[in-house]
Amino acid sequence: MMKYDVIVIGGGPSGLMASIAAGENHAKVLLIDKGTKLGRKLAISGGGRCNVTNRLPIDEIVKHIPGNGRFLYSAFSIFNNEDIIRFFENLGIKLKEEDHGRMFPVSNRAQSVVDALLNRLSQLNVEIRTNMIVKDLHFKDGRVESVELINGDKLETNSIVVAVGGKSVPHTGSTGDGFPWAEKAGHTISELFPTEVPVTSDEPFIKEKTLQGLSLRDVAVSVLNPKGKPLITHRMDMLFTHFGISGPAVLRCSQFVVKAMKKWKLKHVTMGIDALPDFNEEELFQQVIKLVKEEPKKAIKNSFKGLLPERYLLFLLETNRMDPNTQGSSISNDLLRSFSKSCKQFQFQVNGTLPLEKAFVTGGGVSVKEIEPKTMESKLVQGLYFCGEVLDVYGYTGGYNITSALVTGRLAGMNAASKHEEPI
Ligand SMILES: Cc1cc2nc3c(=O)[nH]c(=O)nc-3n(C[C@H](O)[C@H](O)[C@H](O)COP(=O)(O)OP(=O)(O)OC[C@H]3O[C@@H](n4cnc5c(N)ncnc54)[C@H](O)[C@@H]3O)c2cc1C
């Protein structure tokens, strides 16, 4: 029977990188994926452009991975974001930096990233089996023994790298298959939940689609605790949709909505939008008074035009029961103060998020407490490695998840390969 040094299960960024690292370390590697193509999620990532990593300093990268980012410090000391950039440049993929340190291929094509990884696999003679579902893993005497395929075949191996991803966007192949295998090996699975996911609301203005399609640029979006204090605030763009809110600031806030609902057993959580975060409330109020005084006979919708996007301005005026056509001079200071306040802190209720299947990223997963942070090997079963989104590591959008997948994949592959010299 054919015996492999390393079997990598899953051809996403973590599994592709693990296979390459194992191949570069002269191991006999088999990469198995259930899909017809490798890197399906990678190919649609970053809006089809693949935000392959991020160039911020390591401490910042860790901060942008709220789900156990600190676990990655050891891994980053061996292979980090700058190594990823060099790795791709050596494969002929030039990267460019965009806002917030986000790195994309100059080609703007995620597929070019996937193709470069596939070329490297072929140079290294990594054997690939697509359209092949792994059904189960077998362990014996505290170490890995074999990988069982859906057709009943069992493939013996020294090391298994589980790189099957989480449970989000299952049509890309990530259907949570790795969690029962990890449990079978004795691992703890931290509860799964959707993260980087649009947030839902049953507020009348959402149901009535009053603001649907409106984007707010560079606003500060907060999730509030039951006492009204912000749990988290993210200053980025956001979007109103037909079911709630979305856009970068909201995606980042989404896991805090999920966690708050769970922690305080809430059906609704309050969120706030500060549409003018560069002013404090008093400064804004003075500005509003100044605008009114400059042209007291002008309709307020025109006086305040430059303050906010028109639809949002009209919405906030209406929320404050202010007729947009009223002349500024006839409006009381109290009402102007209340309007300024809602520009700074428009609060509304949200009632959850879209489901895990629709989330960009899966929160929770194989507990990192039972994984060696320098090798990605299981502390419970020898020769068993985990990498990528199957781990309880989850980052914000912005290249952090692919970074985590590539870095943990690199370590898993390198170390899995080192096992092939050991007798079994
Ligand atoms: C639309 C979208 C856009 C995104 N954009 C970005 C971005 O720009 N930047 C960023 O950092 N992150 C982004 N993410 C998140 C990022 O893509 C994932 O975190 C990353 O792909 C996870 O990599 P992975 O290798 O762990 O798993 P995956 O990419 O999920 O790959 C897992 C692979 O395992 C295979 N598999 C699963 N079960 C089995 C089995 N039983 N047998 C055989 N094979 C199996 C699957 O077919 C799949 O190919 C995005 C996610 C989505 C959904």
Side-chain angles (χ1 to χ4, degrees):
M1 181 190 284
M2 172 81 90
K3 178 152 184 187
Y4 295 93
D5 298 322
V6 180
I7 296 182
V8 178
I9 313 168
S14 66
L16 293 169
M17 183 56 110
S19 305
I20 289 170
E24 286 176 353
N25 283 277
H26 314 293
K28 182 169 175 49
V29 187
L30 171 65
L31 167 60
I32 306 174
D33 198 288
K34 62 158 76 150
T36 44
K37 282 185 187 169
L38 298 171
R40 281 180 293 169
K41 196 174 271 185
L42 194 57
I44 59 166
S45 67
R49 297 200 300 133
C50 187
N51 181 189
V52 71
T53 189
N54 192 295
R55 201 153 215 175
L56 293 182
I58 296 294
D59 284 341
E60 283 300 309
I61 302 250
V62 166
K63 271 193 213 152
H64 286 79
I65 305 182
N68 293 311
R70 298 175 63 81
F71 168 76
L72 298 176
Y73 269 122
S74 304
F76 284 143
S77 70
I78 300 163
F79 191 79
N80 61 30
N81 52 343
E82 291 298 330
D83 294 313
I84 292 174
I85 294 165
R86 262 191 298 278
F87 169 83
F88 279 108
E89 297 207 332
N90 287 337
L91 297 187
I93 297 292
K94 277 214 161 320
L95 302 179
K96 57 174 172 172
E97 184 172 342
E98 297 194 357
D99 56 336
H100 307 284
R102 297 182 307 152
M103 300 297 292
F104 290 88
V106 169
S107 67
N108 281 327
R109 285 178 57 246
Q111 193 57 46
S112 68
V113 173
V114 177
D115 291 344
L117 293 166
L118 298 186
N119 283 341
R120 184 68 184 138
L121 287 176
S122 136
Q123 282 169 2
L124 293 165
N125 294 318
V126 167
E127 190 179 327
I128 297 172
R129 283 204 214 169
T130 47
N131 270 320
M132 183 53 75
I133 299 175
V134 170
K135 188 175 148 207
D136 205 356
L137 308 188
H138 297 286
F139 315 118
K140 196 176 168 195
D141 302 331
R143 58 169 308 138
V144 300
E145 186 186 43
S146 62
V147 167
E148 184 178 341
L149 305 178
I150 195 84
N151 62 13
D153 286 357
K154 281 190 184 167
L155 308 173
E156 281 187 38
T157 181
N158 290 345
S159 303
I160 300 172
V161 177
V162 178
V164 293
K167 237 182 154 172
S168 308
V169 192
H171 75 82
T172 60
S174 334
T175 47
D177 299 12
F179 304 121
W181 305 337
E183 279 178 328
K184 181 176 171 185
H187 282 273
T188 312
I189 309 298
S190 311
E191 191 180 341
L192 306 183
F193 60 92
T195 164
E196 301 304 295
V197 63
V199 169
T200 56
S201 169
D202 53 13
E203 287 273 8
F205 76 92
I206 295 290
K207 282 185 163 168
E208 288 156 16
K209 304 184 175 30
T210 314
L211 296 175
Q212 182 183 344
L214 174 68
S215 296
L216 297 180
R217 304 258 169 245
D218 196 23
V219 292
V221 180
S222 303
V223 181
L224 309 183
N225 70 14
K227 290 188 172 155
K229 293 264 168 301
L231 288 168
I232 188 80
T233 300
H234 281 292
R235 185 170 170 176
M236 295 182 104
D237 299 346
M238 68 160 286
L239 168 75
F240 292 95
T241 68
H242 61 288
F243 55 76
I245 50 173
S246 190
V250 173
L251 294 179
R252 288 189 176 195
C253 284
S254 60
Q255 61 180 281
F256 298 89
V257 171
V258 175
K259 288 174 180 167
M261 290 180 80
K262 191 171 172 226
K263 181 169 177 189
W264 290 291
K265 299 189 175 41
L266 301 172
K267 287 214 160 70
H268 288 92
V269 173
T270 306
M271 289 187 71
I273 300 171
D274 177 353
L276 294 163
D278 286 332
F279 295 98
N280 68 33
E281 207 172 303
E282 187 54 31
E283 284 166 351
L284 180 60
F285 176 58
Q286 294 306 331
Q287 174 71 10
V288 163
I289 298 271
K290 188 167 157 244
L291 289 171
V292 167
K293 281 195 175 148
E294 273 168 10
E295 289 180 278
K297 294 213 176 329
K298 209 170 175 181
I300 47 170
K301 68 171 185 196
N302 295 328
S303 299
F304 299 160
K305 213 172 194 165
L307 275 183
L308 298 169
E310 191 178 1
R311 273 176 81 193
Y312 195 58
L313 169 64
L314 293 175
F315 172 72
L316 290 186
L317 290 174
E318 193 184 315
T319 309
N320 284 285
R321 298 181 208 289
M322 294 161 81
D323 178 348
N325 295 310
T326 315
Q327 292 180 351
S329 57
S330 64
I331 296 179
S332 72
N333 273 7
D334 279 355
L335 209 45
L336 290 175
R337 192 174 277 285
S338 154
F339 166 73
S340 315
K341 197 169 176 174
S342 47
C343 295
K344 285 296 294 169
Q345 196 57 254
F346 169 63
Q347 292 191 358
F348 60 103
Q349 301 287 303
V350 298
N351 62 358
T353 66
L354 292 186
L356 183 49
E357 292 67 33
K358 297 255 160 99
F360 282 96
V361 181
T362 302
V366 177
S367 168
V368 293
K369 290 192 187 121
E370 297 149 0
I371 303 293
E372 292 290 351
K374 279 199 152 97
T375 63
M376 299 301 136
E377 187 171 15
S378 159
K379 289 181 181 171
L380 309 178
V381 173
Q382 259 193 61
L384 179 63
Y385 295 80
F386 292 92
C387 55
E389 214 177 296
V390 73
L391 289 168
D392 182 13
V393 175
Y394 47 94
Y396 291 140
T397 47
Y400 305 104
N401 293 291
I402 293 179
T403 300
S404 164
L406 293 171
V407 168
T408 55
R410 184 86 201 166
L411 265 67
M414 271 163 58
N415 290 286
S418 70
K419 286 268 186 274
H420 78 278
E421 282 146 16
E422 291 175 22
I424 46 166

